Amino acid sequence: MTLRRTQAPLRATRVWPQSGRRAQVALLLPLLAAALCLSLAAPTRAAEPAGLVPGGDTGTDASISGAPPATEAPFRYRIAIDAPSALKAVLAGSVGLVRWQDYADMTEDLFERLARQAVDEAREAAATEGYFAAQVDVDIARAGTPAQVTLRVTPGTPTRIRAVDLRVDGPAAGDAAAAPAIRDVREQWRLPLGAIFRQAAWDGAKQRAVATLAAQRYAAARLTQSQAEIDPAAQAADLSVALDSGPPFRFGAVEVTGVKRYDAALVRNYSTIRRGDPYFLTTLDQYVRRLTATGYFASVHAVLDTDPAHADDAGVTVAVLEAPPKRVEAGIGFSTDTRVRANLNYRDVDFMARALQFTTDLRLEQKLQSLTLRLVRPPDASGWSQAGDVAVERTDLEGLVTQTASIGARRISLDERDQWQYGAAYLVDRQRPEGGEDVEAHALFVDVERAWRRVDDLVAPNRGTIALLSVGAGVPGVSSRTFGRVVGRAAAWHPIDSANDLYGRIEAGAVLASSRSGVPSSLLFRTGGDQSVRGYAFESLGVHVGDATLPGRYYVAGSVEATHWIREAIGVAVFIDTGDAFDAAGDFRLALGYGVGARVRTPIGPFRLDVAYGQETRAIRLHFSVGLAF
């Protein structure tokens, strides 16, 4: 026997003849008046649950719809569900005998009807979870009050996916540029071969397939046909799904609504969308995130015109709600790197009524204290913004107290995926190692930085690569030592399948000078901690001089991590980290750390809780962090 579940659009239309409407109204008015009189005269009673009995014999229905006799005591019962835990929730929500056990006007006749219906309802509920041959029994023990009822469900063998026919029709089928989108639709299909067929998963898989295709150029993609053929004898399901891609879309003009304090050009200047560019949902999402992060707006909503007739020039409407420009935040927290912390932040995003972003940030931690004043000009029409800051910082890490003051300016391009930064800063630095002599340094440091971010999501990547290269120098004559500095970083994310993925990271840096003396400590290197080499204290890997760990001229660090996702947002990971900071090639010795951890996907990036063993220290450390530090 083969059961088929199909989905197709249905439409029903009823047209009243124009000529007959007045006559219908004339007939209905007396009937409505009579019904009103009867309702006022009828005795009131408690409302009965709607839709309890969708059919059956006329006599029983009449006894249910009327009020129970005044002399009949309400029937009381309690029900227990004897079924695997995975089925209990769906049974409780689907079986009327369970849902209405607390109904105040329950009668014995109504109870009997619910008990008979419970068998079919339970079978249907089990079928939605992939059990199409479930055995259902209802046991009733009437002795005592309330009566004791047991709903017993033996699910049997679950139905598993035997075949999947996933087809994309329309313009995408013959477009070579659509190959990545079609590949993603198939790779991200949520009911693979061997999976248990569940109705909720079936519905979700179809919705995800349409959304995946619609996110990449084909914004009007839709489901045109879906069918699940269930073979109860073989406990197998054969799935067939067809999508119509519709035409490929290109971005049109950006229309802004909701601005009052600011000019609409400010909103447009945060966009990297150029008219005529192919539509991608990630591009639009990044635009929204960028606007949200500015602090100008309490909410941002961007919508693409998905009318296929406008596919070649699809307009984007950006609706914003402006936020109060001034904001004060205070908080306390804890991190495994710098321990207990308190922070106070003041922000005015309309400083001097010119949409300038002015920020004051005070941080007080056990190992780090800092005060930063920052002024940022929003991007202009060319897509560049300027920032200036003044900062003072004191750290007490691994036997070294460092005091640093700086003033600087930077020019930053808008596009995070292909980003340039140019900067200049003057730094004054003092190092006080425990048991050693104080060292002072200053420098006018100029640098250029380039970032390439080729990932599916900038906040929480699952696939792709990120690379960063920074090159700078201490300017001769205004620096205590002339030096060069170069830092390179790279990371990659690779999904093995829907439940497992790999992450790798490597980074290295060098200060090109004959000695670290005269180079500000913030431009030298130490490593170790939550975001670098787990299993070791924060910045504990460096040059050991006496009882202190000093920053060195060179460093390397790397990590390999494998994660298994138990659920879509919850996973477990195993990892190996390694790294060191040193001052000479002869001192180079990689420290090794490895362990296990928990992972949670959050809107602000991945949450990580790790237990790591440091091979050099032979100690176990706990690490946790949120977000992507790269």
Side-chain angles (χ1 to χ4, degrees), residues 236-255:
D238 298 330
L239 309 182
S240 175
V241 175
L243 308 179
D244 179 16
S245 69
F249 278 67
R250 293 185 177 274
F251 283 113
V254 176
E255 179 184 353

Side-chain angles (χ1 to χ4, degrees), residues 347-500:
R347 187 176 192 184
D348 182 357
V349 297
D350 195 23
F351 186 62
M352 300 176 63
R354 298 182 63 181
L356 298 173
Q357 302 175 18
F358 175 70
T359 306
T360 302
D361 185 58
L362 174 65
R363 296 177 60 190
L364 300 175
E365 305 182 5
Q366 286 181 272
K367 297 183 178 183
L368 183 152
Q369 302 85 43
S370 68
L371 173 64
T372 303
L373 306 179
R374 184 174 177 85
L375 188 65
V376 178
R377 182 185 295 275
D380 53 25
S382 67
W384 288 83
S385 64
Q386 292 79 39
D389 59 66
V390 178
V392 292
E393 181 181 83
R394 180 185 183 276
T395 64
D396 186 354
L397 299 167
E398 301 298 319
L400 175 66
V401 176
T402 303
Q403 296 171 311
T404 303
S406 66
I407 181 170
R410 296 192 76 76
R411 180 173 168 83
I412 307 167
S413 68
L414 185 62
D415 189 357
E416 299 89 346
R417 296 184 180 274
D418 289 282
Q419 191 170 57
W420 287 92
Q421 294 190 39
Y422 304 92
Y426 188 76
L427 303 95
V428 178
D429 180 88
R430 184 179 184 183
Q431 300 178 47
R432 297 165 53 195
E434 185 175 337
E437 296 182 357
D438 292 3
V439 178
E440 295 185 357
H442 62 273
L444 176 60
F445 182 69
V446 295
D447 72 304
V448 58
E449 182 177 295
R450 177 72 162 94
W452 300 265
R453 297 179 175 95
R454 303 292 186 267
V455 289
D456 55 349
D457 190 311
L458 290 172
V459 176
N462 184 59
R463 179 197 301 272
T465 59
I466 292 179
L468 182 147
L469 178 65
S470 175
V471 178
V475 178
V478 286
S479 304
S480 51
R481 174 183 290 276
T482 302
F483 62 92
R485 185 177 189 267
V486 59
V487 174
R489 300 174 183 172
W493 292 260
H494 176 68
I496 300 172
D497 52 38
S498 60
N500 300 279

Side-chain angles (χ1 to χ4, degrees), residues 4 172 215 274 287 294 308 346 352 378 406 438 537 611:
R4 293 189 178 184
R274 291 174 296 183
Y287 180 25
T294 63
Y346 169 76
M352 300 176 63
S406 66
D438 292 3
V611 179

Side-chain angles (χ1 to χ4, degrees), residues 77 79 95-101 111 114-115 118 121 138 149 151:
Y77 70 94
I79 187 167
V95 178
L97 189 64
V98 180
R99 292 188 292 116
W100 299 110
Q101 60 182 311
F111 168 77
L114 290 172
E121 291 172 343
V138 179
V149 181
L151 175 65

Side-chain angles (χ1 to χ4, degrees), residues 191-269:
L191 271 178
L193 299 179
I196 296 176
F197 177 86
R198 294 184 173 90
Q199 186 63 43
W202 170 231
D203 294 338
K206 292 181 288 184
Q207 293 170 5
R208 176 65 177 270
V210 174
T212 301
L213 185 59
Q216 302 187 51
R217 300 176 66 222
Y218 298 93
R222 61 190 179 92
L223 178 71
T224 55
Q225 182 270 332
S226 68
Q227 180 173 284
E229 293 190 2
I230 308 300
D231 184 348
Q235 290 89 42
D238 298 330
L239 309 182
S240 175
V241 175
L243 308 179
D244 179 16
S245 69
F249 278 67
R250 293 185 177 274
F251 283 113
V254 176
E255 179 184 353
V256 179
T257 64
V259 288
K260 298 177 182 178
R261 180 180 293 109
Y262 312 109
D263 193 280
L266 180 142
V267 177
R268 293 192 184 95
N269 288 346

Side-chain angles (χ1 to χ4, degrees), residues 72-87:
E72 182 181 352
F75 185 80
R76 296 287 178 261
Y77 70 94
R78 306 310 298 170
I79 187 167
I81 301 175
D82 182 6
S85 57
L87 286 178

Side-chain angles (χ1 to χ4, degrees), residues 112-124:
E112 293 291 347
R113 172 61 62 86
L114 290 172
R116 289 194 295 273
Q117 289 183 334
V119 174
D120 290 338
E121 291 172 343
R123 284 175 180 159
E124 181 65 23

